[in-house]
């Protein structure tokens, strides 16, 4: 297991459409191990493989609260089969867009099909944070970022800020503790 570097915008690889996993072999298991370790170290509650530069449709997640035991989840080839018309808004963040949080409106509930690490197919109906996180991570597998769901004005400002930081070769300035929301998405 190893912690891997997380890609940050404007890295173009974050815009790739990831390939479905054909065979769940030892390479995929090793990838999942690295993703979980990287996600916990960040820390984040979700991670898509492309965020560590691997364009495969693999997502890891753990929505357990700090005082709860770890609940690692793995979604291989996750796919939204149904999304409710009813929407909900949640303040999202992304490990690939650090120190930026914005409210995003998405379907309140979704039905998602995926494979587990044994290749068994599951369908789950998710609502609340799980629904938001699944949609955020599945977006990553399609090269979509949460800032694509906010206004163009706000999105352009964020992208400009990260382009400038990349040019300087420095990370963007961290938010002060009181500006940080208590939750993070991956
Ligand atoms: Ni993200």
């Amino acid at each position: 297991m190893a912690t891997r570097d997380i890609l940050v915008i404007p890295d173009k690889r974050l815009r790739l459409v990831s390939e479905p996993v054909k065979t769940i072999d030892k390479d995929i298991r090793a990838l999942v191990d690295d993703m979980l370790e990287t996600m916990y170290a960040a820390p984040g509650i979700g991670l898509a493989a492309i965020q560590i530069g691997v364009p495969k449709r693999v997502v890891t997640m753990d929505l357990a609260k700090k005082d709860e035991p770890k609940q690692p989840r793995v979604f291989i080839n996750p796919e939204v089969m149904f999304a409710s018309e009813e929407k909900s808004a949640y303040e999202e963040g992304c490990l690939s867009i650090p120190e930026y949080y914005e409210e995003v409106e998405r379907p309140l509930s979704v039905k998602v099909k995926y494979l587990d690490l044994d290749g068994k197919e599951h369908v789950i109906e998710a609502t609340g944070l799980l629904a938001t996180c699944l949609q955020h991570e599945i977006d990553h597998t399609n090269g979509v970022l949460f800032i694509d769901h906010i206004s163009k004005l706000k999105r352009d400002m964020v992208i400009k800020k990260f382009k400038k930081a990349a040019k300087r070769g420095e990370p963007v300035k961290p938010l002060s503790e009181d500006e940080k929301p208590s939750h993070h998405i991956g």
Side-chain angles (χ1 to χ4, degrees), residues 14-58:
L14 290 166
R15 292 308 192 175
L16 291 173
V17 175
S18 295
E19 292 288 329
V21 173
K22 290 196 186 87
T23 317
I24 300 167
D25 53 15
K26 67 174 191 345
D27 290 347
I28 293 295
R29 286 166 205 279
L31 170 68
V32 166
D33 283 347
D34 283 359
M35 285 174 65
L36 284 167
E37 192 172 327
T38 304
M39 181 183 84
Y40 286 125
I45 61 173
L47 191 74
I50 191 59
Q51 291 182 276
I52 58 166
V54 180
K56 291 194 189 297
R57 304 182 83 83
V58 178

Side-chain angles (χ1 to χ4, degrees), residues 100-151:
Y100 182 74
Y101 301 90
E102 192 59 63
E103 197 155 274
V104 177
E105 201 175 76
R106 296 182 187 269
L108 172 71
S109 59
V110 285
K111 202 187 260 190
V112 171
K113 183 171 83 172
Y114 67 96
L115 301 177
D116 65 19
L117 269 178
D118 297 317
K120 192 175 166 226
E121 189 177 293
H122 299 266
V123 176
I124 48 164
E125 284 192 52
T127 183
L129 182 57
L130 178 59
T132 298
C133 201
L134 276 167
Q135 291 174 81
H136 178 118
E137 301 308 334
I138 291 171
D139 268 359
H140 274 302
T141 68
N142 292 318
V144 175
L145 300 168
F146 85 92
I147 51 171
D148 298 337
H149 299 290
I150 65 177
S151 75

